[in-house]
Amino acid sequence: MLYCIVGTDVGNSLPLRKGARPAHLERLQLLQSQGRLVLAGPNPAIDSNDPGEAGFTGSLIVAEFPSLEEARAWADADPYAAAGVYASVIVKPFKQVFPQ
């Protein structure tokens, strides 16, 4: 089943994100290579694809996991979580309707 993982950043998270980004992307690459990643990306803090020093306010990941518990465990082990990037993380089931 698909699950969405929504992380909300702490204030001034950009330095923390930069430090943990390579390990975070490596885990996403693994999901992608397994054919389990639907989409992933950050939420810019301003209305721009490149927010510069304004940074980001959170992230969204939609991926396939065997269960909600495994999706939560994956999210809990994310390098951004370990680095303190996220103030909170919500993991819940997701039903993709479009695109088909």
Side-chain angles (χ1 to χ4, degrees), residues 27-79:
R27 293 180 84 232
L28 291 170
Q29 279 292 130
L30 180 58
L31 281 180
Q32 183 174 352
S33 70
Q34 295 169 343
R36 296 170 47 201
L37 183 64
V38 175
L39 64 89
N43 304 110
I46 59 174
D47 191 12
S48 172
N49 280 328
D50 182 6
E53 291 304 309
F56 301 91
T57 61
S59 299
L60 170 65
I61 298 167
V62 177
E64 184 177 342
F65 293 93
S67 67
L68 179 58
E69 292 75 23
E70 291 187 49
R72 284 184 178 142
W74 188 92
D76 289 345
D78 190 279

Side-chain angles (χ1 to χ4, degrees), residues 5-10 13-14 17 24 39-52 54-61 80 85-86 88:
I5 301 169
V6 181
T8 301
D9 285 19
V10 297
S13 64
L14 191 57
R17 277 181 168 270
H24 172 76
L39 64 89
N43 304 110
I46 59 174
D47 191 12
S48 172
N49 280 328
D50 182 6
F56 301 91
T57 61
S59 299
L60 170 65
I61 298 167
Y80 278 179
V85 171
Y86 297 137
S88 66

